[in-house]
Amino acid sequence: MKPARLLYLALQFSLVDISRNLLLAYQSLGVVYGDLSTSPLYVYRSIFVGKLKHYQTPETIFGAFSLIFWTITLIPLLKYVFIVLSADDNGEGGTFALYSLLCRHAKFSLLPNQQAADEELSAYKYGFAGQSTSSCSALKRFLEKHKKSRTILLVIVLLGACMVIGDGILTPAMSVISSMTGIKAAAEHLSHGEVLMLSCLILVGLFALQHAGTHRVGFLFAPIVIVWLISIFGIGLYNIIFWNPKIVYALSPYYIIKFFRETRKHGWISLGGVLLSVAGTEAMFADLGHFTSCSMRIAFSFLVYPCLVVQYMGQAAFLSKNLDAIPNSFYNSIPESVYWPVFVIATLASIVASQSIITATFSIVKQLNALGCFPRVKIVHTSKHVKGQIYIPEINWILMILTLSVAVGFQDTILIGNAYGLACMTGMFITTFLITLVMIFVWQRNILLATCFLLFFWFIEGVYLSSAFIKIPQGGWVSLVLAFVFLFVMFVWHYGTRKKYNFDLHNKVPLKWLLGMGPSLGIVRVPGIGLVYSELATGVPSIFSHFLTNLPAFHSVLVFLCVKSVPVPYVSAEERFLIGRICPRPYRMYRCIVRYGYKEIQRDDGDFEDLLIQSIAEFIQMEAVEPQLSSSETPSLDGRMAVISKKAIQSTSTLIVSEDFGMRDSIQSSKSLTLQSLRSAYADENPQIRRRRMRFQLPENPGMDPAVKDELQDLIRAKEAGVSYILGHSYVKVRRSSSFLKKFVVDIGYSFLRKNCRGPSVVLNIPQISLIEVGMIYHL
């Protein structure tokens, strides 16, 4: 190819990338930065509330602005934009993305279902790495060796996730009540009850809008935030020039020293108000999956940051000459000629501010769910182009109910702000710790450098966090209560899931027992394919022996299916299926592991059965060419597994695939006329379960091994006879000798969550007409 052509293509791709990032930067303004950009409404008022109202002088105003400026510069700009956004996990952010990175580079995960084959995934490797040091290796071995340290790490990660979810409850309440306070000031005839009712109606409307999806909400809200940012920039610039241009001197950190020298202890307590200027920063990282790090950096660095700095500077310039205006500083600093337009924009922007943390909560819950730390919920992808944009109905309505409870219970932005600040700074504190571990174990930087990063930001955030803890009696306790409730739910679910997996692991069916039964398994093998679902990635689950004990027949082809999450955001279609054989060829028993990333939906998309059959056929043909995949050499163990690429299936398919237009029903056929009529009636009543029926045939290949040909023909005949899905319907109990705490956690907590979350068959989208559930009792 000519150099000019190469240059043209490179320029075309770069222009497409730039336009995409600019579009996402525009959307991010309506989703991510609404909360951060509306903080000027209440920051100065929150700083000078309480005993600091006795220190309302121009010097303290200058010192307060200097604190705000350096806080915004060091935490959102330096820490998050330049460092934290670089620690994405293949484009995903949040505390669990960091935890996923750590689990891939060290054995920190408590779930033992990971395999060596998972490490060969293309998304598993992380490109940003240096040379591992001896001190790094020693620390890694120490954490991997001690299970308690891994448990503590998980609890810290869960606590960080809980704080983000807590923000998702507190932010809408605070934003909407702040805007309604402005309405009450403008319309004095409205009673307190009427204003509260209006606030609740707006909150209900906000949460009802979430089903539209992040991209639609972003396009709807982004113009409001842009107009708002331009407005506060203009007002701030006007106030600097008109009231006190000397405010630019307060950019020097010397004024921070003067502030604390004058206010002492009361200045330290007032830091709880200063930290509200960076509230919403954590959403930048948590919402990363909805956008890109480049688009986030563009939006914050070139628009949000300069507008906020100029606004805070202008507000301080106004207050230095109008000390009595502090209780309503923002609205008082607006020039009279533009007061009402800015008032309307401020009200709309305050409502928009809730959006960032709501979408961040959806992302966090999806990651928790995939990694076995949250009950199963319905997850809806709202965009075909950006995979990370999701909506979770159950979480949306739970957030709405809790937000309404906080709004009705407190009715005061000062009290809600105390809880909000505590949740926000705790989340940042935890993120700093996790980023330090990522620097050591993932980026493999020098421990001394990582420690300097940790101590520098922990010192800053620790000072703010200590001030926030002082406000626990004045509303801060709400964050702790919410965090404890969500932490209890997450830890109970993870504990029960891990114990249940360990029970299955220790009660596997010995393969020697299967070999002793012979290819017929000692029973009648009826036509059809049986998909035995299990969480086990190795061995035969106990559900299989339980089924054989109670029923006298089994399918002619058995596939032990494990659908699992791996610690990467997405798994490509070419790497999704791992196929292997269990026992020698005459048994017709296979294993299939279907791998999904923690940002993907684990479900049957309609063509799953066809892809599975083609993957098994491809494995059978591959095994004939590569004998090392066969388990016949080691009959007491599983055979080796192979990755079956979807691309390879489409290009060099072992089977001839054609769409069957002759069959009326799209559910599997059966030789039983009665069963055919039942399934046909069921399909007529449930048209949503109809699926395209594919017919498989063997190609004319005289050179094919007869044994391979027979096995492929058996597979095709079994597919035509029908596919059944076999799942365990488990009842989890603890032993009588267990402690009271374990009984409470498992018998009450975990059992309650299992009964009230979505079942595996619903999550996997399994057709009910083909489902067989086997009752199992787990004594943990």
Side-chain angles (χ1 to χ4, degrees):
M1 191 177 290
K2 296 180 179 180
R5 178 65 175 170
L6 287 173
L7 182 62
Y8 171 75
L9 291 175
L11 182 62
Q12 188 177 28
F13 281 122
S14 63
L15 288 175
V16 169
D17 192 49
I18 291 171
S19 61
R20 179 174 179 268
N21 279 316
L22 289 176
L23 179 63
L24 290 174
Y26 168 78
Q27 290 184 7
S28 70
L29 290 169
V31 175
V32 178
Y33 296 111
D35 187 15
L36 195 60
S37 65
T38 55
S39 55
L41 287 171
Y42 45 78
V43 167
Y44 279 109
R45 182 183 60 187
S46 300
I47 292 173
F48 288 96
V49 75
K51 293 185 179 181
L52 206 64
K53 63 185 178 182
H54 301 299
Y55 298 90
Q56 294 178 2
T57 63
E59 288 75 18
T60 56
I61 297 292
F62 275 45
F65 165 68
S66 188
L67 272 169
I68 293 169
F69 169 74
W70 284 105
T71 302
I72 294 176
T73 302
L74 291 176
I75 296 180
L77 185 63
L78 178 61
K79 176 188 166 184
Y80 277 85
V81 171
F82 289 107
I83 300 176
V84 174
L85 290 182
S86 300
D88 66 294
D89 182 11
N90 292 280
E92 296 300 323
T95 53
F96 256 78
L98 298 177
Y99 183 64
S100 173
L101 282 174
L102 293 172
C103 289
R104 296 214 303 267
H105 291 80
K107 297 177 181 178
F108 292 156
S109 177
L110 294 175
L111 284 177
N113 65 341
Q114 302 305 318
Q115 301 171 280
D118 298 338
E119 299 178 11
E120 299 175 4
L121 291 169
S122 57
Y124 199 94
K125 299 174 180 62
Y126 196 84
F128 197 155
Q131 179 112 20
S132 179
T133 61
S134 58
S135 55
C136 169
S137 301
L139 180 60
K140 179 180 175 181
R141 287 194 299 270
F142 173 81
L143 294 174
E144 290 177 343
K145 182 179 179 181
H146 295 84
K147 185 179 178 181
K148 288 184 178 179
S149 63
R150 289 182 284 143
T151 304
I152 292 172
L153 177 62
L154 177 64
V155 171
I156 291 173
V157 172
L158 293 179
L159 181 60
C162 290
M163 289 303 174
V164 175
I165 297 174
D167 278 352
I169 296 167
L170 297 168
T171 302
M174 184 168 183
S175 301
V176 173
I177 290 178
S178 296
S179 64
M180 292 303 101
T181 302
I183 288 179
K184 187 178 180 182
E188 296 180 357
H189 64 278
L190 290 176
S191 66
H192 181 73
E194 290 172 337
V195 172
L196 183 61
M197 180 62 69
L198 185 59
S199 301
C200 293
L201 288 175
I202 292 174
L203 286 170
V204 171
L206 176 66
F207 283 101
L209 190 64
Q210 297 304 314
H211 77 280
T214 305
H215 62 294
R216 294 187 182 93
V217 173
F219 270 110
L220 178 65
F221 286 170
I224 297 174
V225 178
I226 291 174
V227 173
W228 164 251
L229 287 169
I230 294 173
S231 300
I232 63 175
F233 179 85
I235 293 169
L237 193 61
Y238 168 82
N239 287 329
I240 293 169
I241 297 171
F242 185 80
W243 289 106
N244 193 352
K246 292 183 179 180
I247 189 64
V248 295
Y249 297 148
L251 294 174
S252 169
Y254 171 70
Y255 283 85
I256 298 176
I257 299 173
K258 290 181 66 176
F259 175 84
F260 285 111
R261 187 185 298 163
E262 184 175 344
T263 59
R264 298 184 183 276
K265 178 183 177 182
H266 302 303
W268 167 63
I269 295 174
S270 70
L271 291 177
V274 177
L275 71 85
L276 292 179
S277 64
V278 295
T281 302
E282 190 67 23
M284 291 171 60
F285 188 47
D287 275 331
L288 189 56
H290 294 252
F291 306 100
T292 62
S293 58
C294 181
S295 64
M296 294 276 204
R297 290 185 173 110
I298 292 172
F300 184 82
S301 303
F302 293 99
L303 186 60
V304 178
Y305 177 74
C307 289
L308 285 177
V309 170
V310 171
Q311 166 55 212
Y312 281 119
M313 186 185 295
Q315 210 174 137
F318 171 80
L319 292 178
S320 66
K321 301 296 183 179
N322 302 273
L323 297 175
D324 57 338
I326 287 177
N328 200 14
S329 60
F330 176 78
Y331 288 110
N332 287 335
S333 69
I334 301 174
E336 205 170 309
S337 58
V338 295
Y339 179 85
W340 288 109
V342 173
F343 174 79
V344 173
I345 296 168
T347 303
L348 293 173
S350 296
I351 298 170
V352 172
S354 310
Q355 186 60 41
S356 62
I357 205 65
I358 294 174
T359 54
T361 301
F362 292 156
S363 297
I364 290 290
V365 170
K366 174 65 185 79
Q367 295 171 10
L368 288 165
N369 177 261
L371 297 178
C373 295
F374 202 87
R376 293 179 292 268
V377 291
K378 181 180 181 181
I379 298 170
V380 180
H381 279 273
T382 59
S383 174
K384 295 180 180 179
H385 306 291
V386 183
K387 294 181 179 179
Q389 295 185 356
I390 59 174
Y391 166 68
I392 305 177
E394 294 97 326
I395 299 301
N396 186 60
W397 303 126
I398 290 173
L399 288 179
M400 186 189 76
I401 293 171
L402 293 175
T403 300
L404 291 173
S405 302
V406 170
V408 174
F410 282 101
Q411 306 177 19
D412 185 2
T413 56
I414 299 298
L415 296 176
I416 299 175
N418 292 337
Y420 182 34
L422 178 60
C424 174
M425 193 50 65
T426 304
M428 292 181 181
F429 199 78
I430 291 172
T431 298
T432 301
F433 172 69
L434 295 176
I435 285 290
T436 304
L437 294 182
V438 168
M439 286 181 174
I440 296 172
F441 298 118
V442 181
W443 297 349
Q444 296 182 356
R445 298 306 185 206
N446 188 281
I447 288 185
L448 182 60
L449 179 64
T451 304
C452 291
F453 168 85
L454 178 70
L455 294 179
F456 177 73
F457 284 104
W458 260 14
F459 173 76
I460 298 171
E461 293 164 354
V463 172
Y464 283 113
L465 191 60
S466 63
S467 175
F469 270 110
I470 297 295
K471 307 290 182 65
I472 287 178
Q474 290 83 40
W477 59 270
V478 175
S479 292
L480 299 181
V481 170
L482 290 172
F484 174 79
V485 171
F486 284 110
L487 185 63
F488 177 77
V489 170
M490 294 175 189
F491 193 78
V492 164
W493 184 262
H494 185 268
Y495 177 83
T497 302
R498 183 160 49 89
K499 289 293 183 181
K500 183 174 174 292
Y501 183 89
N502 288 332
F503 180 91
D504 280 333
L505 197 63
H506 293 113
N507 291 274
K508 292 189 296 185
V509 177
L511 290 181
K512 289 183 179 180
W513 177 68
L514 289 178
L515 291 170
M517 296 176 68
S520 67
L521 301 181
I523 56 174
V524 177
R525 300 289 291 269
V526 298
I529 297 177
L531 300 182
V532 184
Y533 275 82
S534 169
E535 295 179 357
L536 290 180
T538 59
V540 177
S542 56
I543 179 181
F544 180 65
S545 62
H546 196 65
F547 190 96
L548 289 182
T549 305
N550 290 276
L551 290 176
F554 216 93
H555 302 82
S556 57
V557 174
L558 293 175
V559 181
F560 293 94
L561 194 62
C562 173
V563 180
K564 72 171 188 175
S565 291
V566 289
V568 296
Y570 302 101
V571 176
S572 66
E574 282 69 34
E575 300 175 307
R576 192 171 306 284
F577 287 94
L578 263 178
I579 304 292
R581 184 189 295 280
I582 298 178
C583 299
R585 188 191 300 268
Y587 285 70
R588 302 294 192 257
M589 296 170 65
Y590 310 93
R591 181 183 309 285
C592 176
I593 298 176
V594 188
R595 301 176 292 185
Y596 290 91
Y598 59 76
K599 295 291 288 185
E600 295 180 288
I601 297 179
Q602 299 180 1
R603 58 183 298 176
D604 180 355
D605 293 321
D607 59 348
F608 174 78
E609 291 178 6
D610 300 328
L611 281 175
L612 179 63
I613 299 303
Q614 293 178 80
S615 299
I616 294 175
E618 201 69 28
F619 170 80
I620 293 171
Q621 185 70 18
M622 186 186 300
E623 187 186 42
V625 180
E626 304 177 25
Q628 66 270 20
L629 292 176
S630 176
S631 62
S632 58
E633 297 177 5
T634 55
S636 61
L637 302 173
D638 286 352
R640 293 182 59 184
M641 306 194 73
V643 177
I644 304 298
S645 168
K646 185 177 179 180
K647 187 181 295 184
I649 292 174
Q650 294 172 346
S651 60
T652 59
S653 179
T654 303
L655 304 178
I656 299 175
V657 184
S658 61
E659 190 166 355
D660 187 0
F661 295 99
M663 298 297 296
R664 178 176 177 272
D665 62 305
S666 61
I667 307 175
Q668 298 84 2
S669 64
S670 172
K671 293 182 179 180
S672 168
L673 296 177
T674 304
L675 189 55
Q676 281 187 19
S677 62
L678 286 173
R679 286 179 169 171
S680 178
Y682 186 84
D684 290 337
E685 295 177 1
N686 301 272
Q688 69 274 14
I689 69 168
R690 295 189 178 190
R691 304 184 182 191
R692 183 181 59 173
R693 177 172 171 79
M694 306 301 295
R695 181 171 293 278
F696 298 100
Q697 295 177 342
L698 273 179
E700 292 294 333
N701 185 0
M704 182 179 291
D705 187 335
V708 172
K709 185 175 182 180
D710 290 343
E711 188 171 7
L712 291 174
Q713 287 176 339
D714 287 346
L715 182 65
I716 294 172
R717 284 193 291 267
K719 174 63 171 67
E720 291 176 352
V723 178
S724 297
Y725 298 80
I726 303 162
L727 272 74
H729 190 86
S730 57
Y731 299 88
V732 180
K733 297 181 179 180
V734 297
R735 304 182 188 278
R736 292 183 178 180
S737 58
S738 301
S739 64
F740 170 78
L741 181 61
K742 187 174 181 180
K743 289 179 181 178
F744 177 78
V745 168
V746 176
D747 288 347
I748 298 178
Y750 184 70
S751 297
F752 174 81
L753 293 175
R754 281 184 61 84
K755 290 176 183 177
N756 290 278
C757 72
R758 290 181 175 265
S761 61
V762 177
V763 173
L764 296 169
N765 196 26
I766 294 174
Q768 295 295 311
I769 190 64
S770 304
L771 176 64
I772 301 173
E773 290 191 301
V774 181
M776 287 285 295
I777 298 179
Y778 289 81
H779 291 284
L780 304 182

